[in-house]
Amino acid sequence: MIEARRLHILRAVADHRTVTAAAAALYLTPSAVSQQLAALEQETGHRLVERGAKGVRLTPAGEILLGHTNAVLAQLERAEAELAAYGAGSAGTVTLASFATGIGLVVAPALARLARTAPGIRVRVQDAEGDASLPMVLDRQVDVAVAVEYRGAPDADDPRLTPVPLYAEPFDAVVPVTHRLADATEVPLAELAKDPWIGPYPGNPCHDVVVLACEHAGFQPRLEHSSDDFRAVVALASADAGVALVPRSALRGMDLTGVVVRPVDGVAPTRRVFAAVRRGAEGHPLIRPVLDALAEAATVN
């Protein structure tokens, strides 16, 4: 008989590629993870992982079991959801991770809506970058992620997750008031090819959006200054340190003294924001209202 908790460990190892990283995500010791993997191999009668200099990879037998693992864990999530519904499920805590702008734009309004429509549901919010919240959901550290599409993100049909589209927003060009294009109605990105740039660090989904937009315009941006805080990005631009692309919602309520904000000429770079839960959990009576409130908040904004 295969134990479900060992399937959680197998998937964590597959996701994180090392026993140490999987152990940290699951709040276990590396030796405990290794012991559970060994027990799972004994239960199945197959070698499931191979260790190498660069970490751990699944064997063909391990890949077969991983496919069934995703289905089994999703079904367990559905079972928990149905049992919670049977028991009314009108009160409880949901944990949610979101990047800062998403908290302001949809999470906070969703919490206000839930206070009126589902006062028994308490939502605990954690600030996490747009690429960090999905692993937190998969590792069961949080129940819901508000995330941004990025290179390397799980596909929409990933068997581990159920995504809920929320909104898409353009990036605007931010240039100093003294910039040669400050009076332009729209800014052609190609005209900024020789400028110094200010942008998020590599790994931040917005970094990918900026770099890809510039590559499509025919150049590689010369990123001289890096910050994941868009207030810092705008402050540097106001100091004539460079130009930037910033999500439109991040500019709301910001001090824009010293800069001008202009739409990008042509097809604007865009970030797409979605909520995600572990597949099977979308029907949980505590989680469903949260997803609905997020979707409602997104339509208003």
Side-chain angles (χ1 to χ4, degrees):
M1 181 70 70
I2 297 175
E3 291 192 20
R5 64 191 177 94
R6 290 176 182 149
L7 295 180
H8 281 293
I9 291 173
L10 178 70
R11 189 161 79 177
V13 170
D15 287 342
H16 293 281
R17 305 295 182 183
T18 70
V19 168
T20 300
L26 297 172
Y27 301 101
L28 298 172
T29 64
S31 61
V33 169
S34 295
Q35 290 170 7
Q36 292 300 317
L37 286 175
L40 185 58
E41 289 180 330
Q42 186 174 4
E43 287 173 345
T44 61
H46 293 278
R47 187 179 183 189
L48 302 174
V49 297
E50 291 180 342
R51 292 170 174 79
K54 296 183 178 180
V56 176
R57 68 181 184 88
L58 298 188
T59 64
E63 293 288 354
I64 291 172
L65 184 57
L66 179 63
H68 290 287
T69 291
N70 291 327
V72 168
L73 295 183
Q75 190 60 40
L76 287 174
E77 293 284 354
R78 294 186 189 97
E80 290 182 9
E82 289 189 18
L83 287 170
Y86 177 78
S90 59
T93 300
V94 175
T95 52
L96 182 151
S98 171
F99 58 102
T101 307
I103 292 174
L105 196 62
V106 294
V107 175
L111 264 60
R113 181 176 185 270
L114 286 167
R116 299 189 304 271
T117 61
I121 297 177
R122 177 189 178 206
V123 181
R124 295 175 56 198
V125 179
Q126 300 181 36
D127 188 341
E129 288 299 334
D131 59 337
S133 56
L134 293 181
M136 293 172 72
V137 167
L138 290 172
D139 291 336
R140 304 180 71 84
Q141 296 174 15
V142 298
D143 302 308
V144 182
V146 174
V148 178
E149 288 185 3
Y150 59 94
R151 285 190 283 192
D155 296 332
D157 59 353
D158 189 294
R160 302 169 298 172
L161 294 167
T162 296
V164 178
L166 294 179
Y167 65 92
E169 65 173 325
F171 281 58
D172 289 325
V174 177
V175 302
V177 292
T178 57
H179 195 273
R180 62 189 180 280
L181 296 177
D183 294 328
T185 304
E186 296 181 329
V187 173
L189 282 185
E191 295 295 321
L192 302 177
K194 295 184 179 180
D195 286 89
W197 278 73
I198 312 157
Y201 285 100
N204 186 314
C206 290
H207 174 89
D208 289 346
V209 174
V210 171
V211 171
L212 286 172
C214 293
E215 288 176 352
H216 290 157
F219 69 98
Q220 187 76 22
R222 179 162 54 90
L223 284 164
E224 291 200 355
H225 309 283
S226 298
S227 175
D228 288 333
D229 185 337
F230 287 116
R231 290 184 180 81
V233 171
V234 170
L236 287 168
S238 70
D240 205 15
V243 299
L245 288 174
V246 177
R248 186 166 293 172
S249 66
L251 295 167
R252 294 182 182 180
M254 195 179 294
D255 181 6
L256 299 176
T257 304
V259 299
V260 294
V261 178
R262 296 289 183 264
V264 173
D265 184 32
V267 179
T270 301
R271 72 171 172 181
R272 291 173 174 79
V273 179
F274 62 97
V277 299
R278 291 180 294 278
R279 189 171 291 270
E282 61 275 7
H284 193 287
L286 295 179
I287 292 175
R288 184 74 257 170
V290 174
L291 295 176
D292 290 342
L294 289 169
E296 176 68 21
T299 61
V300 172
N301 289 288

